[in-house]
Amino acid sequence: MLKPEANKARTVLSLPSVWDFQLAGETFDSAWVRHPLPDPTPMAVPGSYNSQKATAAYRDHYGWAVYQTRLTVPSAFLTQRVWLRFGGVTHRAQVFLNGELLGEHRGGFLPFEFELTARLPLPEGALLTVAVDNRIDFTTLPVGTSPAEAQAAYQPSGVPSIDVAEARRAPFNRPNFDFFNFAGIHRPVCLYTTPQTYIQDVAVTPSLDGTTGLLRYSVTTSGATAVSVTVQDQAGVICAKATGPNGVLRLQNAHLWAPGKPYLYQVTVTAAADRYQLAVGVRTVQVSGTKLLINGEPFYFKGFGKHEDAAVHGRGEDDCQNVLDVDLIHWLNANSFRTSHYPYAEEMYDLCDRAGIVIIDEVPAVGLGWGQDGRAYRDPAIYANHAKTLQDMIARDKNHPSVVMWSLANEAALDQHPTLARDYFHRLYELAHVSDPASRPVTGVSYPNDYQKDLTTRTMDVVCLNRYYGWYNLSGDLDAACDALAVELDWWAAQHKPVMLTEYGADTIAGLHNVVPGMFDEEFQVAYYRRLNAVLDRYPFVIGEQAWNFADFATIQGTLRVDGNKKGLFTRDRRPKMAAHYFKDRWAAVPDFGYKR
Ligand code: GCB
């Protein structure tokens, strides 16, 4: 799905940034969608509703919540087609216009839209209602445990009072993942227009023929029409032209898009009265032997997993935060991150295209398959949802030069039902390859499991491992942690695959210091990374190190979490811990290319 853009053929109108809002419960009153909410409170959009109010009722809400605003379609729009577009609503949305259901969308991290043209003209100030459901269960992505499932699986504690209180607890979300279950209208909402015959999709796939850049393109339009495509370089000079819905554009002596050196061309598509422009990069990605090659050179991932997470916006799209984070990524001399554990807002990919930062793009399939007797891998509805989400993510992000690899999941259970899991993920792996016109490498991120029993991870193009030797296991013993990591890497050596760590880390309380490093202090976090990195450096097939996490982030309450997850290199408000300085120095000395020839 194309990102809306304003140009001489199209208009974009952002909707108001503060909406009316009211919490509901496991259902909401159907009268609410036809009338102004009975007891509304202001709520900023985009943003999570959990973090905008000073009561636990909002933070810990379970079920539906309802947003409302007034929508006026300007008369000037009436000669065109008009669309209402949501960048992302977490996790499930029902959208009503003047009481009528426009449609529903499941999944909290990808865009959806409705065409309004047939309903125009609308009365001024039409009532737009968005009902949002934050409930998660074993069928949703990300995965949670519903109250009914939790009750069915409950093992008595042996303490009568606890068992009684457990049975009486008010329903709440039990995420099978370690980030706060923020909810709401998380990404921008807009009206946009297109001409009657319009450009539905553009795919541009780069490749290289010597020094000539080839852009294979494909344009889908809503009706038969002539299509023309031009390419301009950064100076605005037209350097290639083609006509027809499919073709190849040739760029002599192409400037490459590369990590740290992001050259972007502008592709302009014209079809009937419509026009669409996008920035593209000439760069190739492929796996060859035990290397991942960008533009034919062996790339080394230096970076982290991130989260969309900030104090007030929660998971809401936040351009200020994103611009700062990109700058901090440069400050660290990092070159990459994984969109753990869901596709991020489109605005971040645009920034990374411009900044030359490499992205591993992840489906929100986190927590899949655990403790469910393998039923997740047998349930066609779960597979169908997973496959659709993967395809929607690829459809949205396929043109970004920053995206170099797709991640099918984070930490699915892979060693409990090894054959079922492998078959399930193999279909997704194939689907990712055929859905992406560029057929980028595909991975699935594996959790500390029995890697010898796990039959899935070894079938991926790149083996991505989350490993917490020295933290969750062998806790505090860095000699043993290094030993365990080396034992495992010795095993992977025989698989002849590129391997990278996509997570390793230690919770660290900023400002806690010790002469003798110990868990949770800043010296330990530095020692942990220094020691484990020395092991990684010994293995030529290890193609990257992504620390967990870029910054501290919010999680649910629990005995393992003191005000959230503290494994950040930065605090949640982006103050560097000692480990950030350590990585800044290390990564200054580790080149993006050819680190391990
Ligand atoms: C993991 C998860 C990540 C957690 C992290 C941790 O393996 O992938 O979501 O936050 O561990 O800190 O426990």
Side-chain angles (χ1 to χ4, degrees):
M1 181 184 291
L2 294 177
K3 186 168 174 241
E5 71 178 29
N7 59 38
K8 58 191 186 188
R10 295 172 167 229
T11 315
V12 180
L13 180 69
S14 296
L15 262 56
S17 54
V18 178
W19 295 38
D20 282 348
F21 179 89
Q22 196 163 334
L23 294 175
E26 296 197 50
T27 57
F28 60 90
D29 186 341
S30 59
W32 286 12
V33 308
R34 288 192 298 276
H35 306 287
L37 290 168
D39 187 19
T41 184
M43 195 62 73
V45 171
S48 301
Y49 62 71
N50 316 80
S51 45
Q52 291 182 50
K53 300 284 171 181
T55 71
Y58 289 81
R59 186 192 61 192
D60 301 336
H61 178 64
Y62 176 80
W64 290 96
V66 179
Y67 287 78
Q68 250 177 13
T69 192
R70 294 285 176 181
L71 179 74
T72 296
V73 178
S75 313
F77 283 13
L78 297 183
T79 56
Q80 291 202 304
R81 296 172 84 142
V82 178
W83 307 80
L84 173 64
R85 200 231 201 217
F86 295 82
V89 180
T90 313
H91 293 285
R92 171 181 169 200
Q94 290 184 352
V95 180
F96 302 84
L97 192 57
N98 281 336
E100 200 187 324
L101 180 68
L102 291 179
E104 170 168 296
H105 183 262
R106 283 169 189 267
F109 305 96
L110 289 166
F112 56 96
E113 62 187 15
F114 305 103
E115 182 167 12
L116 300 185
T117 317
R119 299 165 192 273
L120 300 180
L122 287 175
E124 209 165 5
L127 189 66
L128 176 64
T129 305
V130 181
V132 179
D133 186 0
N134 76 350
R135 285 173 297 176
I136 45 175
D137 61 31
F138 85 97
T139 67
T140 56
L141 296 179
V143 179
T145 306
S146 70
E149 290 155 14
Q151 209 173 12
Y154 186 68
Q155 305 284 342
S157 69
V159 182
S161 50
I162 294 175
D163 296 337
V164 169
E166 276 289 359
R168 290 189 201 160
R169 284 179 92 172
F172 64 100
N173 273 313
R174 294 169 169 85
N176 200 7
F177 50 87
D178 180 42
F179 49 92
F180 192 83
N181 187 38
F182 283 117
I185 302 180
H186 276 159
R187 296 183 184 160
V189 186
C190 70
L191 278 178
Y192 75 92
T193 70
T194 64
Q196 297 301 330
T197 299
Y198 73 101
I199 299 162
Q200 290 174 310
D201 197 20
V202 182
V204 182
T205 309
S207 59
L208 268 175
D209 177 7
T211 58
T212 303
L214 306 179
L215 297 177
R216 183 161 44 87
Y217 73 87
S218 158
V219 177
T220 317
T221 52
S222 63
T225 180
V227 172
S228 65
V229 183
T230 59
V231 186
Q232 281 166 284
D233 66 15
Q234 284 187 178
V237 176
I238 294 182
C239 37
K241 283 185 181 183
T243 53
N246 305 292
V248 179
L249 297 142
R250 298 180 71 84
L251 305 171
Q252 306 297 336
N253 298 318
H255 301 278
L256 301 186
W257 186 99
K261 294 197 195 92
Y263 193 97
L264 291 173
Y265 289 91
Q266 180 170 275
V267 168
T268 303
V269 179
T270 309
D274 200 10
R275 187 177 167 82
Y276 194 83
Q277 297 181 303
L278 74 162
V280 303
V282 177
R283 66 106 190 78
T284 59
V285 187
Q286 77 193 101
V287 169
S288 171
T290 58
K291 304 288 180 209
L292 181 132
L293 309 179
I294 297 183
N295 300 332
E297 290 286 310
F299 179 66
Y300 192 78
F301 290 83
K302 305 180 280 182
F304 17 73
K306 274 184 102 280
H307 267 299
E308 291 185 316
D309 176 274
V312 184
H313 279 73
R315 189 145 294 124
E317 197 276 324
D318 182 347
D319 287 330
C320 288
Q321 189 70 64
N322 287 343
V323 168
L324 172 64
D325 283 0
V326 163
D327 212 45
L328 292 175
I329 292 170
H330 287 317
W331 179 87
L332 277 169
N333 298 307
N335 58 19
S336 63
F337 65 89
R338 175 170 61 116
T339 68
S340 42
H341 296 308
Y342 37 81
Y344 289 1
E346 293 149 289
E347 290 73 7
M348 186 57 161
Y349 299 74
D350 290 342
L351 286 172
C352 291
D353 289 345
R354 288 176 60 177
I357 293 167
V358 163
I359 292 176
I360 301 172
D361 206 3
E362 186 157 280
V363 178
V366 44
L368 191 79
W370 291 95
Q372 293 159 358
D373 300 332
R375 78 179 143 149
Y377 299 132
R378 289 196 196 96
D379 185 334
I382 291 180
Y383 178 82
N385 184 31
H386 199 157
K388 179 172 188 314
T389 309
L390 173 66
Q391 285 176 301
D392 287 354
M393 177 179 86
I394 293 173
R396 190 194 70 162
D397 296 339
K398 61 184 177 294
N399 292 321
H400 289 287
S402 51
V403 174
V404 302
M405 183 150 64
W406 310 113
S407 164
L408 303 176
N410 181 67
E411 302 189 348
L414 299 174
D415 58 349
Q416 297 174 3
H417 307 280
T419 317
L420 278 178
R422 182 200 54 201
D423 294 350
Y424 178 96
F425 279 105
H426 186 70
R427 288 169 71 195
L428 290 172
Y429 170 91
E430 296 287 343
L431 183 68
H433 272 291
V434 298
S435 305
D436 175 10
S439 194
R440 289 170 177 81
V442 176
T443 190
V445 172
S446 107
Y447 179 67
N449 57 13
D450 185 336
Y451 48 87
Q452 301 188 9
K453 277 196 201 146
D454 162 5
L455 300 174
T456 306
T457 304
R458 67 187 74 171
T459 67
M460 297 290 138
D461 296 321
V462 175
V463 168
C464 287
L465 306 176
N466 294 352
R467 294 295 184 260
Y468 286 94
Y469 298 125
W471 188 255
Y472 289 121
N473 33 56
L474 309 170
S475 308
D477 184 341
L478 294 180
D479 291 337
C482 290
D483 191 25
L485 181 61
V487 168
E488 179 170 355
L489 290 176
D490 287 341
W491 187 85
W492 282 108
Q495 309 300 316
H496 307 295
K497 288 268 178 178
V499 173
M500 65 184 283
L501 286 198
T502 31
E503 285 184 26
Y504 59 136
D507 283 273
T508 304
I509 308 301
L512 182 64
H513 293 285
N514 261 313
V515 181
V516 180
M519 292 175 76
F520 295 100
D521 65 40
E522 293 206 36
E523 286 77 3
F524 181 84
Q525 192 183 25
V526 172
Y528 171 95
Y529 283 121
R530 199 187 291 283
R531 293 286 309 275
L532 291 169
N533 288 341
V535 177
L536 298 181
D537 282 342
R538 300 207 305 259
Y539 292 85
F541 59 85
V542 171
I543 61 158
E545 55 198 52
Q546 291 195 329
W548 189 255
N549 185 287
F550 173 73
D552 294 347
F553 57 92
T555 63
I556 58 163
Q557 301 182 67
T559 49
L560 284 176
R561 297 288 176 255
V562 185
D563 190 31
N565 188 309
K566 293 282 189 278
K567 295 192 187 69
L569 303 182
F570 294 95
T571 59
R572 200 176 184 213
D573 61 353
R574 281 25 177 194
R575 292 168 193 267
K577 299 180 191 170
M578 277 169 59
H581 292 281
Y582 157 73
F583 270 117
K584 179 177 168 58
D585 290 346
R586 170 173 164 84
W587 287 338
V590 172
D592 294 338
F593 291 103
Y595 181 45
K596 295 174 178 176
R597 290 226 178 248

